[in-house]
Amino acid sequence: QGAITHFTTPALDGLVVIDCGWLLREITVIIRRPELHPLPLDENLSDSSDFEDLYKHALLHPAFVSQLFPSRSEQDRLRLLHVMLLAGFALPVFSSQQHGAFLVPALLPSAWPTDSPLPTRAHTVYIALHTTGRLKRQHFFTTDNLAQYCHQPVGMFARLVAQLARLSQLSETTLSEPQLSQHAAVLTLGRTVLMLTENRELHCIEVRFTAADARGVVGQVTQCLEALCPTQTLHHELLVELPQDDGTRPQDDGARPQRLFVRVKDVVQAFVTDTEDDLVLAERSIPRALIAQRVGFVLPPLHAQATYDCFISY
């Protein structure tokens, strides 16, 4: 008994792997910790910038593959890269040193970025990934709800970081090089600094960013998620935390206070369609001004609906 995996990509047309162990051995020439699993070729490569990029920053440059596999043909090296891409071992991304590079998530450092340029009062949205229909319209979610409903697929955080890093490197006003780790990343999109972290308490991805072009950043994050969740089996929602300044945080049978979260699209709909001073969100009335102050960065421009009264004196 066994299984046959067929890749439809033209780059792998005609490739037949009989010994899966051989393929794994080829991949582990790249994905390894040199200090634990050194190879003879490391003596000649360890001082190169490409070697440092791969094993310190998880960036694999295509030209470095030929140095790791000097006896292989160019076609074989390209096939190996395509297999790694299809299996999720490598993700396409851009770097400043070279236009094309691959991010190898398994080689990302475990330590978090050493310093964050984010201000203390940054905007925050939460990415909730789920496989059920429980994150429905006008529902609100507590801390425990998200931990119960949300599902974080293996590798999804790295894939999202790779997508945003690509946009970051394409930006003409990138402020700094991306700082990447296995559980956190600091990127810049234009004039906006983002910090992504895996919030294990909520089972969500937390995205904090500066005020510059906030709506544009939310839109770019949404586009990346739509590209990563093309099927009906995995869904995504952007959530924001509701302000609770009245001391009425919901309790869970006397346990720790529960934070409240709602979908971004529900906040937008309530703010645009409801004309009352207090908006009903999460089954409670919240002043419109407080919503605009705390999560106004997700609201669309309302200039066309606003009326201005002014007196001009000469």
Side-chain angles (χ1 to χ4, degrees):
Q1 296 182 351
I4 297 177
T5 300
H6 174 64
F7 299 116
T8 57
T9 175
L12 298 178
D13 186 28
L15 175 65
V16 178
V17 178
I18 300 176
D19 182 4
C20 295
W22 167 83
L23 182 59
L24 290 176
R25 288 190 295 273
E26 294 286 284
I27 293 175
T28 53
V29 171
I30 299 175
I31 303 179
R32 59 189 171 91
R33 297 293 179 185
E35 64 276 13
L36 299 178
H37 305 285
L39 295 177
L41 54 84
D42 292 350
E43 292 186 18
N44 298 325
L45 301 178
S46 57
D47 293 332
S48 68
S49 60
D50 287 349
F51 188 93
E52 181 178 358
D53 277 349
L54 178 59
Y55 294 113
K56 287 189 177 181
H57 308 293
L59 282 177
L60 173 63
H61 300 286
F64 188 56
V65 179
S66 61
Q67 300 180 53
L68 291 172
F69 299 95
S71 61
R72 302 293 182 189
S73 66
E74 184 66 20
Q75 184 181 30
D76 287 343
R77 291 193 288 262
L78 288 176
R79 284 175 170 175
L80 178 61
L81 283 175
H82 279 279
V83 170
M84 292 180 62
L85 286 169
L86 290 171
F89 295 140
L91 305 170
V93 72
F94 282 81
S95 68
S96 60
Q97 292 94 351
Q98 190 169 335
H99 291 299
F102 300 99
L103 177 69
V104 184
L107 296 179
L108 283 171
S110 57
W112 284 33
T114 54
D115 55 356
S116 170
L118 284 175
T120 54
R121 299 190 63 181
H123 299 313
T124 305
V125 295
Y126 298 87
I127 300 172
L129 300 165
H130 60 104
T131 56
T132 65
R134 292 183 175 181
L135 299 183
K136 295 180 180 179
R137 180 177 178 272
Q138 292 298 346
H139 283 194
F140 67 90
F141 315 98
T142 65
T143 307
D144 290 344
N145 290 151
L146 292 181
Q148 177 183 359
Y149 297 156
C150 295
H151 170 62
Q152 195 70 264
V154 175
M156 179 57 72
F157 178 78
R159 289 178 180 274
L160 178 60
V161 167
Q163 290 274 357
L164 291 173
R166 182 188 304 180
L167 293 177
S168 173
Q169 295 296 334
L170 288 174
S171 173
E172 296 181 356
T173 54
T174 296
L175 303 178
S176 61
E177 284 289 316
Q179 302 179 48
L180 309 179
S181 74
Q182 292 184 4
H183 307 292
V186 177
L187 308 167
T188 58
L189 292 178
R191 296 174 294 110
T192 303
V193 180
L194 298 87
M195 183 170 185
L196 292 83
T197 57
E198 284 188 298
N199 191 316
R200 296 187 177 183
E201 178 190 12
L202 304 176
H203 290 198
C204 293
I205 298 175
E206 182 176 341
V207 185
R208 299 178 62 234
F209 50 93
T210 55
D213 193 24
R215 295 187 187 90
V217 169
V218 173
Q220 288 176 311
V221 171
T222 301
Q223 290 179 4
C224 289
L225 288 171
E226 290 174 349
L228 295 173
C229 306
T231 65
Q232 297 300 317
T233 57
L234 183 64
H235 310 273
H236 68 272
E237 293 288 353
L238 289 184
L239 308 177
V240 288
E241 184 175 3
L242 287 182
Q244 299 179 74
D245 292 344
D246 55 359
T248 58
R249 285 178 177 265
Q251 299 279 342
D252 183 12
D253 297 331
R256 60 185 175 130
Q258 296 286 299
R259 298 157 63 187
L260 283 181
F261 303 86
V262 293
R263 303 190 312 173
V264 166
K265 60 184 70 174
D266 292 334
V267 175
V268 172
Q269 182 174 4
F271 200 91
V272 173
T273 61
D274 196 341
T275 59
E276 301 295 330
D277 290 336
D278 290 346
L279 304 180
V280 178
L281 287 168
E283 300 180 358
R284 63 182 57 211
S285 295
I286 304 177
R288 176 186 291 266
L290 186 57
I291 291 292
Q293 176 187 358
R294 296 293 182 84
V295 295
F297 63 92
V298 302
L299 299 174
L302 302 177
H303 304 302
Q305 303 176 12
T307 301
Y308 299 93
D309 297 322
C310 61
F311 176 77
I312 302 176
S313 177
Y314 294 92

